[in-house]
Amino acid sequence: QKASSAIINATTRSGTNEWEADVFANRIDKAHVARDAIAVRNDAVNPNYTRLQAGGSVGGPIRTDKLFVYGTYELNARDEPQTVFLGGNAALAPAGLNPEQYAGRFVSEFREHLGFGKLSWIASGRSTVDATLNVRKENDFRGFGGQTSYEAAEDVAVSVYTGGASWKYAGDRWLNDAQVSAQRFTWNPRPLNPGLIALDYQGIIRVGGKESSQDWVQDRIGFRDDITMAGIRWAGDHAFKMGGSVDLLGYEA
């Protein structure tokens, strides 16, 4: 498996001959978060923290005993407080700079959307075909706090699209599993204020936008075939497995 440590095999759920659905939601906000000892001593307000996890799934038959569909969606939304404070040299701020306007508590946002879809086709008693699509999109607003102002925040945008199909065919004593998959991964941290020049007043405050952005793209197409032969008796019971895989990778940065 071209891995130097443990491998995890995950089998996703499929639709059945009955329609089923479920939803869930979990939320925590600042009313459920206690203040730490320093905040209590300073009589500070509760931190502006919020977390929401919500989603659901639905699955059922398109054609009874033959074709099934299943899909899920999940949202992970999180707001966390970040404090921007002035350094010890604030009294030495040059003319024209009002460092106090940059200090305070600001919200760092994280948003994640996860989607999954699956089609399952039972072509015969020996043959099964599955097709899947997996989507992950994230936006993480961070890069500020301490002596770095909110102006320097960046959006770390990540997107992953993965699609695949597999065909399993069972013989009397053997199983063939053919798979094809494709994936596009993008990693794109970008400044929220690209038009503001970065200025670092040492020991006071760092203002202005983040210096740069990045744009990485990875594309992958994979082909794989595995054959398992079981029920072989020779000084005991044995099963043999063999196969091959080809991956085509492309990178842009």
Side-chain angles (χ1 to χ4, degrees):
Q1 301 291 325
K2 298 179 289 185
S4 60
S5 59
I7 297 173
I8 299 175
N9 287 325
T11 301
T12 61
R13 182 178 173 181
S14 302
T16 65
N17 276 332
E18 294 184 2
W19 283 100
E20 296 182 355
D22 64 77
V23 295
F24 72 92
N26 298 304
R27 179 183 171 88
I28 300 175
D29 58 32
K30 65 180 182 179
H32 302 97
V33 180
R35 296 180 298 170
D36 58 32
I38 296 176
V40 172
R41 184 190 65 187
N42 296 334
D43 196 25
V45 298
N46 278 23
N48 189 20
Y49 175 85
T50 303
R51 182 173 184 180
L52 172 65
Q53 289 182 281
S57 65
V58 61
I62 297 178
R63 182 180 175 188
T64 303
D65 294 331
K66 282 293 184 180
L67 185 62
F68 310 94
V69 64
Y70 181 74
T72 69
Y73 168 76
E74 182 175 343
L75 166 69
N76 184 2
R78 188 170 66 246
D79 293 342
E80 296 181 336
Q82 296 289 344
T83 302
V84 177
F85 54 85
L86 304 181
N89 296 331
L92 304 177
L97 175 66
N98 178 19
E100 293 289 346
Q101 66 177 315
Y102 301 103
R105 181 171 286 174
F106 302 87
V107 176
S108 175
E109 297 181 358
F110 174 79
R111 300 291 185 268
E112 180 183 56
H113 303 272
L114 302 173
F116 173 78
K118 183 177 184 180
L119 278 174
S120 301
W121 177 38
I122 302 178
S124 68
R126 293 179 178 267
S127 182
T128 302
V129 179
D130 291 311
T132 61
L133 175 65
N134 199 312
V135 178
R136 168 190 164 202
K137 290 184 68 67
E138 293 181 359
N139 293 93
D140 191 1
F141 298 89
R142 64 188 188 190
F144 59 95
Q147 294 180 29
T148 301
S149 71
Y150 180 75
E151 290 183 342
E154 64 175 340
D155 175 14
V156 181
V158 177
S159 298
V160 185
Y161 301 92
T162 307
S166 66
W167 174 36
K168 298 181 179 64
Y169 185 86
D172 293 334
R173 291 189 177 182
W174 57 276
L175 172 68
N176 189 81
D177 185 2
Q179 303 176 32
V180 59
S181 62
Q183 183 183 78
R184 165 159 281 204
F185 168 83
T186 63
W187 184 70
N188 182 209
R190 49 188 185 247
L192 292 185
N193 298 292
L196 298 180
I197 297 175
L199 299 172
D200 191 354
Y201 298 94
Q202 291 291 320
I204 303 175
I205 191 74
R206 189 272 196 209
V207 299
K210 186 171 177 61
E211 296 86 343
S212 64
S213 61
Q214 305 244 1
D215 192 3
W216 290 72
V217 180
Q218 173 187 293
D219 291 314
R220 180 181 64 83
I221 299 177
F223 302 91
R224 182 184 182 96
D225 191 81
D226 292 310
I227 301 175
T228 303
M229 303 180 67
I232 299 174
R233 299 189 171 217
W234 179 68
D237 293 329
H238 303 278
F240 294 92
K241 189 167 187 172
M242 60 183 178
S245 65
V246 176
D247 293 311
L248 307 176
L249 300 169
Y251 299 91
E252 294 181 7

